DNA sequence: TATGAAAGTTTTAAATA
DNA sequence: TATTTAAAACTTTCATA
């Protein structure tokens, strides 16, 4: 923790976010420095946990994941036991790509990626059989306009 | 396009999703094959667009992005001109990490990542001054329970 | 599919500003 | 203290069997 970031660090993070497959040399050139210092900064930021998992973006549709739902969940149960069970269910299910606990009226939002509507129903039935929820609204995505993990550094 | 995927391809995709930083050798070992065939498969899947951008996950909180909103948007305007302007606005704004066009009552959902509530308001004011929207609901995330781009292959 | 050699990259260490 | 240089270890890429 607690690495103070300067301008060069931020530029490196920007370059990595954009394309983590570039060589050190290219990144160094892009941020106006050279290999070793850039390498040391990256190592420090990795150790500090600022730079996490390195991954690839796969084409969901080409791989047959044609359905994406945003699921709004209201619960009447707010005790610790219920919450623990719910978090566990959500973390374990690979269909759930995002899960957030919300402020206000709606308690949770999930982003669920499945092959088709039938697969969503299977997921939904499994979820409500594991944990009791008061009210569920599923919003079906017709079109993914944008999807990125990049932070607006 | 149209690459038929077998079991080995799927295993490779799984390995890359999990950690794109591993060497070919490691991936080959993990999927029970050897370097050359794995390399050829990856190249083909990249060419076909199945494997896309390579990126890193950054720690949003460590970098000072403390606020995340899901924004539900209803519009009264459904003509092409309006939609074009809206898509453009959403794609251009780096705060918008996800944008989907929905079926049903609510027309769009956005995921917006900003430094704080004030920054969200700046974003919101800028958006509604660019495109007219009928009704907006912002859901504030209190806790990110899960966040992954990985498909449940 | 496997082997292996050439080209390129990452990583470490030593030298320099 | 941070950067450049240099060299060893490792990876990717690709020709050939």
């Amino acid at each position: 923790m607690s690495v103070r970031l300067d301008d060069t660090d931020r530029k490196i993070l920007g370059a990595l976010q954009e394309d983590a497959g570039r060589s050190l040399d290219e990144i160094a050139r892009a941020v106006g420095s050279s290999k070793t210092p850039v390498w040391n900064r990256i190592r420090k930021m990795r150790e500090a946990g600022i730079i996490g998992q390195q991954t690839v973006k796969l084409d969901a549709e080409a791989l047959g994941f044609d359905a994406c739902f945003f699921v709004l969940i209201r619960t009447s149960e707010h005790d610790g036991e219920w919450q623990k069970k719910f978090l566990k269910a959500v973390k374990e299910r690979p269909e759930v790509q995002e899960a957030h606990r919300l402020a206000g009226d709606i308690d949770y939002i999930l982003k669920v990626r499945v092959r088709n509507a039938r697969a969503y129903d299977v997921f939904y039935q499994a979820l409500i059989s594991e944990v009791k929820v008061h009210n569920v609204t599923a919003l079906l995505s017709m079109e993914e306009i944008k999807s990125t993990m990049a932070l607006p550094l």
Side-chain angles (χ1 to χ4, degrees), chain A:
Chain A
M1 264 299 137
S2 98
V3 170
R4 182 90 89 273
L5 301 177
D6 65 13
D7 224 57
T8 305
D9 290 319
R10 257 180 284 274
K11 277 193 212 155
I12 293 169
L13 293 176
L16 286 175
Q17 271 195 151
E18 208 178 81
D19 181 358
R22 292 149 101 185
S23 76
L24 256 191
D25 246 351
E26 281 178 291
I27 294 167
R29 224 171 308 125
V31 307
S33 180
S34 63
K35 275 186 333 190
T36 312
V38 170
W39 190 77
N40 281 315
R41 283 156 185 271
I42 290 177
R43 192 173 45 72
K44 265 182 218 143
M45 292 193 282
R46 257 206 271 266
E47 276 164 17
I50 289 172
I51 297 175
Q53 197 198 23
Q54 194 170 142
T55 185
V56 291
K57 198 166 166 191
L58 302 182
D59 182 333
E61 299 210 345
L63 292 164
F65 290 88
D66 287 325
C68 176
F69 290 84
F70 287 87
V71 184
L72 308 178
I73 296 174
R74 258 178 274 241
T75 174
S76 36
E77 325 251 331
H78 288 276
D79 61 289
E81 204 43 53
W82 182 90
Q83 185 162 337
K84 232 175 80 186
K85 255 169 72 185
F86 180 75
L87 293 200
K88 185 166 172 288
V90 149
K91 282 187 187 153
E92 273 175 2
R93 305 213 151 261
E95 302 94 327
V96 179
Q97 292 194 313
E98 295 250 356
H100 290 248
R101 184 165 60 79
L102 301 175
D105 191 31
I106 295 163
D107 296 301
Y108 295 93
I109 187 167
L110 310 180
K111 182 186 169 192
V112 178
R113 175 80 76 174
V114 286
R115 294 192 170 275
N116 48 50
R118 212 188 327 277
Y120 173 73
D121 196 51
V122 171
F123 161 79
Y124 172 74
Q125 297 294 339
L127 183 71
I128 61 170
S129 80
E130 266 185 77
V131 292
K132 193 176 137 201
V133 294
H134 174 245
N135 179 283
V136 176
T137 307
L139 309 174
L140 170 60
S141 170
M142 289 281 98
E143 183 189 359
E144 182 179 295
I145 297 166
K146 183 175 187 175
S147 177
T148 176
M149 309 204 304
L151 299 174
L153 300 171

